[in-house]
Amino acid sequence: MKIAKTNAARLLDRAGIDYELIPYAVDEEHLDAGHVAAQLGEDVRQVFKTLVLRGDRTGIFVCVVPGDREVDLKVAARVSGNKSAAMIHVRELLETTGYIRGGCSPIGMKRTFSTYIDRTCRAFDRIYISAGVRGLQIAIDPEALIRFGRLTVAQLTA
C-alpha cells in the first residue's frame, strides 16, 4: 500500500532525515496518544503528542510530550520565558498551525514557533510524532528531530 507523503514527510526528505511513515486506524472518538500507541503496538511513552500553547509574553509556542503525560503549564511557561501559559482552544489550531486535532505535527506548521520537547525523548532510539494528518505517524530518531526542528529539550511534565 502506497502511503501519501505529508508536508512534514516532504520536509524531512528535503533535509535528508531518516524516518518511517507508519499508518494506523483512526478512531474519531479516541484521538489520544494512548489509542495511537495501542494501534502501533508501541509503548505510549514513545508516542509524543504536539501541544500548542499561548504564553503571556511570547505568544504561541509548542510542546512535544510523551503520550502518557500532561504538560505542566507552569513548567512550560517558565521554560518558554513566560509567566503563564495555557493551551490554545482547539478552534484556533487549524488557523494557527495548519493542522487539526489528532494530526498536529511539530514539523511543517504554517509559521515557525519556539518548540520544546520533553527530555524523556532521549530514552528511546526512535519516537513517534504525528505526520500531520490523523492516521499517520512518523517514526524518527529523537536526536534527528531535535536537530532538524531546532527543538529545545526540557522537562515539560510534572
Side-chain angles (χ1 to χ4, degrees):
M1 168 180 127
K2 180 142 172 52
I3 300 169
K5 291 268 174 120
T6 62
N7 186 44
R10 286 189 291 276
L11 289 169
L12 290 171
D13 286 345
R14 243 180 265 143
I17 307 283
D18 200 30
Y19 69 94
E20 184 181 356
L21 286 175
I22 316 242
Y24 67 92
V26 177
D27 178 346
E28 296 292 331
E29 299 296 313
H30 300 96
L31 296 173
D32 60 278
H35 174 77
V36 174
Q39 290 289 311
L40 299 175
E42 294 291 349
D43 185 333
V44 70
R45 296 173 303 162
Q46 275 179 274
V47 177
F48 279 67
K49 53 191 176 184
T50 303
L51 306 172
V52 182
L53 295 89
R54 179 176 287 111
D56 65 325
R57 293 181 175 166
T58 66
I60 301 294
F61 67 98
V62 178
C63 289
V64 184
V65 299
D68 66 334
R69 307 293 294 275
E70 294 299 322
V71 67
D72 182 317
L73 295 174
K74 287 181 181 163
V75 171
R78 188 171 53 249
V79 164
S80 63
N82 289 284
K83 278 194 171 188
S84 65
M87 298 281 293
I88 67 168
H89 195 281
V90 71
R91 288 189 311 260
E92 298 176 80
L93 194 60
L94 180 60
E95 182 183 330
T96 303
T97 67
Y99 293 126
I100 60 171
R101 180 174 170 262
C104 190
S105 180
I107 300 170
M109 290 189 181
K110 284 166 100 172
R111 290 187 31 225
T112 301
F113 299 109
S114 295
T115 303
Y116 305 86
I117 189 166
D118 193 77
R119 67 184 181 184
T120 60
C121 70
R122 289 190 160 144
F124 304 101
D125 292 335
R126 73 183 200 164
I127 61 170
Y128 299 84
I129 58 169
S130 175
V133 294
R134 292 176 181 167
L136 195 60
Q137 290 281 301
I138 290 174
I140 189 168
D141 173 340
E143 295 300 332
L145 176 64
I146 291 163
R147 281 190 306 275
F148 173 74
R150 295 184 178 92
L151 278 56
T152 300
V153 180
Q155 179 177 336
L156 298 172
T157 59

Coordinates of all heavy atoms in Angstrom, one line a residue, residues 34-93:
G34 N -2.7 7.4 23.7 CA -2.8 6.0 24.1 C -3.4 5.1 23.1 O -3.0 4.0 22.9
H35 N -4.4 5.6 22.4 CA -5.0 4.9 21.3 C -4.0 4.7 20.2 O -3.9 3.6 19.6 CB -6.3 5.6 20.8 CG -6.9 5.0 19.6 ND1 -7.6 3.8 19.6 CD2 -6.8 5.3 18.3 CE1 -8.0 3.5 18.4 NE2 -7.5 4.3 17.6
V36 N -3.3 5.7 19.8 CA -2.3 5.6 18.7 C -1.3 4.6 19.1 O -0.9 3.7 18.3 CB -1.7 7.0 18.5 CG1 -0.5 6.8 17.5 CG2 -2.7 8.0 18.0
A37 N -0.8 4.6 20.3 CA 0.2 3.7 20.8 C -0.3 2.2 20.7 O 0.4 1.3 20.2 CB 0.7 4.0 22.2
A38 N -1.5 2.0 21.1 CA -2.1 0.7 21.0 C -2.2 0.2 19.6 O -1.9 -0.9 19.3 CB -3.5 0.7 21.7
Q39 N -2.6 1.1 18.7 CA -2.7 0.8 17.3 C -1.3 0.4 16.7 O -1.2 -0.4 15.8 CB -3.3 2.0 16.5 CG -4.7 2.2 16.7 CD -5.6 1.1 16.1 OE1 -5.5 0.8 15.0 NE2 -6.5 0.6 16.9
L40 N -0.3 1.1 17.1 CA 1.1 0.9 16.7 C 1.7 -0.3 17.3 O 2.7 -0.8 16.9 CB 1.9 2.1 16.9 CG 1.5 3.4 16.2 CD1 2.5 4.6 16.6 CD2 1.6 3.3 14.7
G41 N 1.2 -0.7 18.5 CA 1.8 -1.8 19.3 C 3.1 -1.3 19.9 O 4.0 -2.0 20.1
E42 N 3.1 0.0 20.3 CA 4.3 0.6 20.9 C 4.0 1.1 22.3 O 2.9 1.3 22.6 CB 4.8 1.8 20.0 CG 5.3 1.3 18.6 CD 6.6 0.6 18.7 OE1 7.3 0.5 19.7 OE2 7.0 0.0 17.6
D43 N 5.1 1.4 23.0 CA 5.0 2.0 24.3 C 4.5 3.4 24.2 O 5.0 4.2 23.4 CB 6.4 2.0 24.9 CG 6.5 2.5 26.3 OD1 5.6 3.2 26.8 OD2 7.4 2.1 27.0
V44 N 3.4 3.7 25.0 CA 2.8 5.1 24.9 C 3.8 6.2 25.2 O 3.7 7.3 24.8 CB 1.5 5.2 25.8 CG1 1.9 5.1 27.3 CG2 0.7 6.4 25.4
R45 N 4.9 5.8 26.0 CA 5.9 6.8 26.3 C 6.7 7.2 25.1 O 7.4 8.2 25.2 CB 6.8 6.3 27.5 CG 6.1 6.0 28.8 CD 6.9 5.4 29.8 NE 7.4 4.1 29.2 CZ 8.5 3.4 29.7 NH1 9.1 3.9 30.7 NH2 8.9 2.3 29.1
Q46 N 6.7 6.4 24.1 CA 7.4 6.7 22.8 C 6.6 7.5 21.8 O 7.1 8.0 20.8 CB 7.8 5.4 22.1 CG 9.1 4.9 22.6 CD 9.5 3.6 21.9 OE1 9.1 2.5 22.3 NE2 10.3 3.7 20.9
V47 N 5.3 7.6 22.1 CA 4.3 8.3 21.2 C 4.1 9.7 21.7 O 3.5 9.8 22.8 CB 3.0 7.5 21.0 CG1 2.0 8.3 20.1 CG2 3.2 6.1 20.5
F48 N 4.7 10.6 21.0 CA 4.7 12.0 21.5 C 3.5 12.8 20.9 O 3.3 12.7 19.7 CB 6.0 12.7 21.3 CG 7.1 12.3 22.3 CD1 7.6 11.0 22.4 CD2 7.6 13.2 23.2 CE1 8.5 10.7 23.3 CE2 8.5 12.9 24.1 CZ 9.0 11.6 24.2
K49 N 2.9 13.6 21.7 CA 1.8 14.5 21.2 C 2.3 15.9 21.2 O 3.2 16.3 22.0 CB 0.6 14.3 22.1 CG 0.8 14.6 23.6 CD -0.4 14.2 24.4 CE -0.1 14.3 25.9 NZ -1.2 13.9 26.7
T50 N 1.8 16.6 20.2 CA 2.2 18.0 19.9 C 1.1 18.9 20.5 O 0.0 18.8 20.0 CB 2.4 18.2 18.4 OG1 3.4 17.3 17.9 CG2 2.8 19.6 18.1
L51 N 1.5 19.7 21.4 CA 0.5 20.7 22.1 C 0.9 22.1 21.8 O 2.1 22.5 21.8 CB 0.5 20.4 23.6 CG 0.3 19.0 24.0 CD1 0.5 18.8 25.5 CD2 -1.1 18.5 23.6
V52 N -0.1 22.9 21.5 CA 0.1 24.3 21.1 C -0.4 25.2 22.2 O -1.5 25.1 22.6 CB -0.5 24.6 19.8 CG1 -0.2 26.1 19.4 CG2 -0.1 23.7 18.7
L53 N 0.5 26.0 22.7 CA 0.2 26.9 23.9 C 0.4 28.3 23.6 O 1.0 28.7 22.6 CB 1.1 26.5 25.1 CG 0.9 25.1 25.6 CD1 1.8 24.1 24.9 CD2 1.2 25.1 27.1
R54 N -0.2 29.2 24.4 CA 0.0 30.6 24.3 C 0.6 31.1 25.6 O -0.1 30.9 26.7 CB -1.3 31.3 24.0 CG -1.2 32.9 23.8 CD -2.4 33.6 23.4 NE -2.7 33.3 22.0 CZ -3.7 32.6 21.5 NH1 -4.6 32.0 22.4 NH2 -3.9 32.4 20.2
G55 N 1.7 31.8 25.5 CA 2.3 32.4 26.7 C 1.9 33.8 26.8 O 1.6 34.5 25.8
D56 N 1.9 34.3 28.0 CA 1.5 35.7 28.3 C 2.6 36.7 27.7 O 2.2 37.9 27.5 CB 1.3 36.0 29.8 CG 2.5 35.8 30.6 OD1 3.4 35.0 30.3 OD2 2.6 36.6 31.6
R57 N 3.8 36.3 27.5 CA 4.8 37.2 27.0 C 5.2 36.9 25.5 O 5.4 37.8 24.8 CB 6.1 37.1 27.9 CG 5.8 37.7 29.3 CD 7.1 37.6 30.1 NE 6.9 38.2 31.4 CZ 7.8 38.1 32.4 NH1 8.8 37.3 32.2 NH2 7.5 38.7 33.5
T58 N 5.4 35.6 25.2 CA 6.0 35.2 23.9 C 4.9 34.9 22.9 O 5.2 34.7 21.7 CB 6.9 34.0 24.1 OG1 6.2 32.9 24.5 CG2 8.0 34.4 25.1
G59 N 3.7 34.7 23.3 CA 2.6 34.3 22.4 C 2.7 32.8 22.2 O 3.0 32.0 23.1
I60 N 2.4 32.3 20.9 CA 2.3 30.9 20.6 C 3.7 30.2 20.8 O 4.7 30.7 20.3 CB 1.8 30.7 19.2 CG1 0.4 31.3 19.1 CG2 1.7 29.2 18.8 CD1 -0.7 30.7 19.9
F61 N 3.7 29.0 21.4 CA 4.8 28.1 21.4 C 4.3 26.7 21.5 O 3.1 26.4 21.7 CB 5.8 28.4 22.5 CG 5.3 28.2 23.9 CD1 5.6 27.0 24.6 CD2 4.5 29.1 24.6 CE1 5.1 26.8 25.9 CE2 4.1 28.9 25.9 CZ 4.4 27.7 26.5
V62 N 5.2 25.7 21.2 CA 4.8 24.3 21.0 C 5.5 23.4 22.0 O 6.7 23.6 22.2 CB 5.0 23.9 19.6 CG1 4.7 22.4 19.4 CG2 4.3 24.7 18.6
C63 N 4.8 22.5 22.6 CA 5.4 21.5 23.5 C 5.1 20.1 22.9 O 4.0 19.8 22.5 CB 4.9 21.6 24.9 SG 5.4 23.1 25.8
V64 N 6.1 19.2 22.9 CA 6.0 17.9 22.4 C 6.3 17.0 23.6 O 7.4 17.0 24.1 CB 7.0 17.6 21.2 CG1 6.8 16.2 20.7 CG2 6.8 18.7 20.2
V65 N 5.3 16.3 24.1 CA 5.4 15.5 25.3 C 4.9 14.0 25.1 O 4.2 13.7 24.2 CB 4.5 16.1 26.4 CG1 5.0 17.6 26.7 CG2 3.1 16.2 26.1
P66 N 5.4 13.1 26.0 CA 5.1 11.7 25.9 C 3.5 11.5 26.0 O 2.9 12.3 26.8 CB 5.8 11.0 27.0 CG 6.7 12.1 27.6 CD 6.3 13.4 27.1
G67 N 3.0 10.6 25.3 CA 1.6 10.3 25.3 C 1.0 10.0 26.6 O -0.3 10.1 26.7
D68 N 1.7 9.5 27.6 CA 1.2 9.1 28.9 C 1.2 10.3 29.9 O 0.9 10.1 31.0 CB 1.9 7.9 29.4 CG 3.3 8.1 29.8 OD1 3.9 9.0 29.2 OD2 3.8 7.4 30.6
R69 N 1.7 11.4 29.5 CA 1.9 12.6 30.4 C 1.1 13.8 29.9 O 0.8 13.9 28.8 CB 3.4 12.9 30.5 CG 4.3 11.8 30.8 CD 4.2 11.2 32.2 NE 4.6 12.1 33.2 CZ 5.8 12.2 33.7 NH1 6.8 11.6 33.1 NH2 6.0 13.1 34.7
E70 N 1.0 14.7 30.8 CA 0.4 16.0 30.5 C 1.4 17.1 30.7 O 2.3 17.0 31.6 CB -0.8 16.3 31.5 CG -2.0 15.4 31.3 CD -2.6 15.4 30.0 OE1 -2.7 16.5 29.4 OE2 -3.0 14.3 29.5
V71 N 1.4 18.1 29.9 CA 2.3 19.2 30.0 C 2.0 19.9 31.3 O 0.9 20.1 31.7 CB 2.3 20.1 28.8 CG1 1.0 20.9 28.7 CG2 3.4 21.1 28.8
D72 N 3.1 20.3 32.0 CA 2.9 21.1 33.2 C 3.0 22.6 32.8 O 4.0 23.0 32.3 CB 4.1 20.8 34.2 CG 4.0 21.6 35.5 OD1 3.6 22.8 35.5 OD2 4.2 21.0 36.6
L73 N 1.8 23.2 32.8 CA 1.7 24.6 32.3 C 2.7 25.6 33.0 O 3.2 26.5 32.3 CB 0.3 25.1 32.4 CG -0.7 24.3 31.5 CD1 -2.1 24.8 31.8 CD2 -0.4 24.4 30.0
K74 N 2.9 25.4 34.3 CA 3.8 26.3 35.0 C 5.3 26.1 34.5 O 6.0 27.1 34.3 CB 3.7 26.1 36.5 CG 2.5 26.7 37.1 CD 2.5 26.5 38.6 CE 1.1 27.0 39.1 NZ 0.8 26.5 40.5
V75 N 5.6 24.8 34.3 CA 7.0 24.5 33.9 C 7.2 25.0 32.4 O 8.2 25.6 32.1 CB 7.2 23.0 34.0 CG1 8.5 22.6 33.3 CG2 7.3 22.6 35.5
A76 N 6.2 24.7 31.6 CA 6.2 25.1 30.2 C 6.3 26.6 30.1 O 7.1 27.2 29.2 CB 5.0 24.6 29.4
A77 N 5.6 27.3 30.9 CA 5.7 28.8 30.9 C 7.1 29.3 31.2 O 7.7 30.1 30.5 CB 4.7 29.4 31.9
R78 N 7.6 28.7 32.3 CA 9.0 29.1 32.7 C 10.0 28.8 31.7 O 10.9 29.6 31.3 CB 9.3 28.4 34.0 CG 10.6 28.9 34.7 CD 10.8 28.3 36.1 NE 10.7 26.9 36.2 CZ 9.8 26.2 36.8 NH1 8.8 26.8 37.4 NH2 9.8 24.9 36.8
V79 N 10.0 27.6 31.1 CA 10.9 27.1 30.1 C 10.9 28.1 28.8 O 11.9 28.3 28.2 CB 10.7 25.7 29.7 CG1 11.3 25.3 28.4 CG2 11.1 24.7 30.8
S80 N 9.7 28.5 28.5 CA 9.5 29.3 27.3 C 9.6 30.8 27.5 O 9.4 31.6 26.6 CB 8.1 29.0 26.7 OG 7.1 29.4 27.6
G81 N 10.0 31.2 28.7 CA 10.1 32.7 29.0 C 8.9 33.4 29.3 O 8.8 34.6 29.1
N82 N 7.9 32.7 29.8 CA 6.6 33.3 30.1 C 6.3 33.2 31.6 O 6.9 32.4 32.3 CB 5.5 32.6 29.4 CG 5.5 32.8 27.9 OD1 5.1 33.9 27.4 ND2 6.0 31.9 27.1
K83 N 5.4 34.0 32.1 CA 4.9 33.9 33.5 C 3.8 32.9 33.6 O 3.7 32.2 34.6 CB 4.5 35.3 34.0 CG 5.6 36.1 34.5 CD 5.0 37.3 35.3 CE 6.2 38.0 36.0 NZ 5.8 39.0 36.9
S84 N 3.0 32.8 32.5 CA 1.9 31.9 32.5 C 1.7 31.4 31.0 O 2.1 32.1 30.1 CB 0.6 32.5 33.0 OG 0.2 33.6 32.2
A85 N 1.1 30.3 30.9 CA 0.8 29.7 29.6 C -0.5 28.9 29.7 O -0.8 28.3 30.8 CB 1.9 28.8 29.1
A86 N -1.2 28.8 28.6 CA -2.4 28.0 28.5 C -2.5 27.3 27.1 O -1.9 27.9 26.1 CB -3.6 28.8 28.8
M87 N -3.1 26.2 27.0 CA -3.4 25.6 25.7 C -4.2 26.5 24.9 O -5.1 27.2 25.4 CB -4.1 24.2 25.9 CG -3.4 23.2 26.8 SD -2.1 22.4 25.8 CE -3.1 21.5 24.7
I88 N -4.0 26.6 23.6 CA -4.9 27.3 22.8 C -6.2 26.5 22.6 O -6.2 25.3 22.8 CB -4.3 27.7 21.4 CG1 -4.1 26.5 20.5 CG2 -3.0 28.5 21.6 CD1 -3.7 26.8 19.0
H89 N -7.2 27.2 22.2 CA -8.5 26.5 22.0 C -8.4 25.7 20.7 O -7.8 26.1 19.8 CB -9.7 27.5 22.0 CG -11.0 26.8 22.1 ND1 -11.6 26.1 21.1 CD2 -11.8 26.6 23.2 CE1 -12.7 25.6 21.5 NE2 -12.9 25.9 22.8
V90 N -9.0 24.5 20.7 CA -9.0 23.6 19.6 C -9.5 24.3 18.3 O -9.0 24.0 17.2 CB -9.7 22.3 19.8 CG1 -11.2 22.5 19.9 CG2 -9.4 21.2 18.8
R91 N -10.4 25.3 18.4 CA -10.9 26.1 17.3 C -9.8 26.9 16.6 O -9.9 27.2 15.4 CB -12.0 27.0 17.7 CG -13.3 26.3 18.0 CD -14.4 27.4 18.2 NE -14.0 28.5 19.1 CZ -14.4 28.6 20.4 NH1 -15.1 27.6 20.9 NH2 -14.0 29.6 21.1
E92 N -8.7 27.2 17.4 CA -7.6 28.0 16.8 C -6.5 27.2 16.2 O -5.7 27.8 15.5 CB -7.0 28.8 18.0 CG -7.9 29.8 18.7 CD -7.1 30.4 19.9 OE1 -6.3 31.4 19.6 OE2 -7.3 30.0 21.0
L93 N -6.6 25.9 16.4 CA -5.5 25.1 16.0 C -5.2 25.1 14.5 O -4.1 25.3 14.1 CB -5.7 23.6 16.4 CG -4.5 22.7 16.4 CD1 -3.4 23.2 17.2 CD2 -5.0 21.3 16.8

